[in-house]
């Protein structure tokens, strides 16, 4: 027989709490939003809301208050979360230990996480050359907050992450970051036939009539773009697209424009241009769990990543021009490649 708990909305079936339920609660607490937590967990918001109601029914009280400022843990919520986090960490440690045993006694392993970047291939190549006997794995995520959580729960050793200017990441306790690029500009990708494509630097106002593609799973991408447009008195239409192939085709066809990393290579039929005043930017860093790797190895991983980044920057004429105009400290290194 299924046990139920009566709520003001009707009857909610009780659930047997599992680790995935605890992860959901931590995600809501860390992001401060059921919507953002759903994106991070790869769920829909309604399904996470339903899951939360069933968890609350099981524990017998509200775990979060919901308001215009987001979702905040109640006293009961804080109590549950204080017990949930060690359980999640222990489960992650169990899985890690099991995987290490599967690799074999004495086996060397390096678990890398990263945002999508053209620097990743060169980074891995350098690591493989330096550590040929190490079992190196790579986990790519759109969300840097997700990568930081994987670090905190011992599912990754290091991660290449970015933080959108004005929107700090949720850095878990025990996770440290070493800045790679303090301020990387965000460029814009648009169709080669766009009226503004011939200009070397674009103004936002020139693109106000275009639809802008944003990835709903990317940390604060849409919010940052809205803030920039609001500050300039513009209100373009945002289109949510998670698939990069579809997004690239929409841009090439002239249906929309999108922000782009300055190191990105434009797909066929597309150009990438900087924005005047660089209204959008991000900080790039290498994150690690405190004490997880020897300092010498962290230094080497950082050096490998920086070399890979400088390499792709040096091979991109649009980014090289931006670096030259802005007197970037990267320029001497880029010039040597």
């Amino acid at each position: 027989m299924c046990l139920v708990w009566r709520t003001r909305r009707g009857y909610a079936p009780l659930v047997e709490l599992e680790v995935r339920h605890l992860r959901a609660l931590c995600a809501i607490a860390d992001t401060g939003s059921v919507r953002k937590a759903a994106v991070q967990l790869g769920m829909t918001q309604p399904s996470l809301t339903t899951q939360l109601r069933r968890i609350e029914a099981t524990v017998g009280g509200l775990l979060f208050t919901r308001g215009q400022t987001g979702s905040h843990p109640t006293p009961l919520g804080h109590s549950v979360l204080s017990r949930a986090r060690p359980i999640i960490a222990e489960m992650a440690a169990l899985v890690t230990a099991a995987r290490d045993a599967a690799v074999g006694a004495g086996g060397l392993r390096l678990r890398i996480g990263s945002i999508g970047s053209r620097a990743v291939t060169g980074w891995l190549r350098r690591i493989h050359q330096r550590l040929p006997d190490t079992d190196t794995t790579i986990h790519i995520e759109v969300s840097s907050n997700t990568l930081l959580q994987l670090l905190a729960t011992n599912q990754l050793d290091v991660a290449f992450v970015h933080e959108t200017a004005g929107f700090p990441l949720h850095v878990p306790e025990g996770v440290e970051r070493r800045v790679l690029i303090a301020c990387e500009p965000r460029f814009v990708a648009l169709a080669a036939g766009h009226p503004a494509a011939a200009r070397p630097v674009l103004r936002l106002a020139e693109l106000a009539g275009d639809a802008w593609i944003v990835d709903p799973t990317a940390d604060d991408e849409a919010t940052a773009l809205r803030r920039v447009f609001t500050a300039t008195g513009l209100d373009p239409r945002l289109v949510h697209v998670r698939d990069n192939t579809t997004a690239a085709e929409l841009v090439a066809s002239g249906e929309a424009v999108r922000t782009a990393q300055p190191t990105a290579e434009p797909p066929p039929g597309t150009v990438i241009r900087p924005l005047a005043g660089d209204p959008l930017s991000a900080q790039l860093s290498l994150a690690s769990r405190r004490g997880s790797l020897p300092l010498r190895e962290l230094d080497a991983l950082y050096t490998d990543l920086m070399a890979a980044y400088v390499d792709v920057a040096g091979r991109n004429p649009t980014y090289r021009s931006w670096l030259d105009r802005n007197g970037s400290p990267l320029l001497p290194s880029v010039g040597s490649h």
Side-chain angles (χ1 to χ4, degrees), residues 53-317:
R53 288 175 185 159
R54 290 176 177 173
I55 296 171
E56 289 177 329
T58 300
V59 301
L62 289 177
L63 298 176
F64 295 91
T65 58
R66 294 87 165 176
Q68 292 183 342
T69 59
S71 298
H72 304 284
T74 63
L76 176 60
H78 281 295
S79 176
V80 171
L81 287 165
S82 68
R83 290 165 173 79
R85 294 188 189 279
I87 293 172
I88 293 172
E90 283 299 318
M91 182 58 69
L94 184 153
V95 172
T96 298
R99 286 176 177 170
D100 288 345
V103 171
L108 300 175
R109 183 176 212 146
L110 179 62
R111 301 163 301 170
I112 294 173
S114 178
I115 54 171
S117 169
R118 291 190 65 242
V120 169
T121 301
W123 189 26
L124 284 176
R125 184 177 66 252
R126 287 169 171 81
I127 292 172
H128 289 319
Q129 291 171 347
R130 188 170 53 80
L131 302 171
D133 298 324
T134 297
D135 177 25
T136 303
T137 60
I138 185 77
H139 180 102
I140 304 296
E141 278 282 351
V142 173
S143 168
S144 291
N145 279 315
T146 297
L147 290 170
L148 293 177
Q149 287 298 320
L150 292 174
L151 271 176
T153 55
N154 196 27
Q155 297 178 67
L156 292 174
D157 298 311
V158 292
F160 178 28
V161 299
H162 78 268
E163 178 180 272
T164 300
F167 296 89
L169 292 172
H170 304 285
V171 183
E173 185 178 354
V175 172
E176 302 174 328
R177 290 181 293 167
R178 186 184 300 191
V179 175
L180 187 82
I181 304 296
C183 186
E184 182 194 63
R186 283 294 178 264
F187 291 177
V188 61
L190 63 162
H194 192 287
R199 285 185 278 283
V201 179
L202 306 182
R203 292 179 294 106
L204 274 177
E206 296 177 278
L207 306 172
D210 292 278
W212 285 71
I213 292 174
V214 294
D215 186 341
T217 62
D219 300 313
D220 301 305
E221 180 182 12
T223 306
L225 198 55
R226 285 195 185 96
R227 185 184 67 174
V228 168
F229 279 120
T230 299
T232 54
L234 303 173
D235 187 25
R237 180 166 58 94
L238 301 188
V239 181
H240 289 192
V241 181
R242 295 180 61 175
D243 176 61
N244 271 329
T245 300
T246 301
E249 291 177 352
L250 288 171
V251 171
S253 69
E255 290 291 329
V257 300
R258 67 188 299 202
T259 59
Q261 295 175 5
T263 54
E265 287 293 332
T270 304
V271 297
I272 294 178
R273 298 286 184 262
L275 291 166
D278 303 313
L280 295 163
S281 64
Q283 181 187 89
L284 308 184
S285 58
L286 182 66
S288 61
R289 197 174 54 261
R290 190 179 301 124
S292 63
L293 291 172
L295 182 58
R296 178 180 298 179
E297 180 56 27
L298 279 175
D299 289 343
L301 289 169
Y302 179 90
T303 300
D304 290 339
L305 179 55
M306 178 62 85
Y309 184 90
V310 168
D311 184 46
V312 295
R315 289 188 278 111
N316 187 305

